[in-house]
């Protein structure tokens, strides 16, 4: 199927928040500052998000 910008397999994007290929473009910081409750849930499900801050 191909790879995304981070060299990962393409995946079906379920929504803006699940877009892992944009985490290194500031999405993680945006979520943490503007939607702390969503960021907290995401951090529990995907601890690696801390690497993108």
């Amino acid at each position: 199927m191909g790879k995304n910008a981070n060299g990962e397999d393409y995946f079906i994007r379920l929504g803006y928040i699940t877009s892992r290929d944009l985490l290194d473009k500031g999405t993680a910081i945006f979520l943490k500052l503007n939607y702390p409750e969503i960021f907290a849930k995401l951090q529990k499900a995907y601890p690696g998000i801390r690497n993108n801050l």
Side-chain angles (χ1 to χ4, degrees):
M1 289 191 40
K3 303 286 183 182
N4 66 14
N6 291 326
E8 302 168 326
D9 291 332
Y10 277 123
F11 55 92
I12 297 172
R13 185 172 291 165
L14 300 175
Y16 181 75
I17 294 172
T18 61
S19 177
R20 292 186 326 184
D21 58 334
L22 294 176
L23 288 177
D24 59 348
K25 305 287 190 223
T27 302
I29 295 171
F30 174 81
L31 288 173
K32 185 175 182 180
L33 294 176
N34 295 295
Y35 301 97
E37 67 285 346
I38 293 174
F39 183 82
K41 289 180 184 178
L42 182 57
Q43 192 173 10
K44 287 180 183 176
Y46 179 57
I49 196 170
R50 289 180 232 144
N51 299 333
N52 297 102
L53 297 178

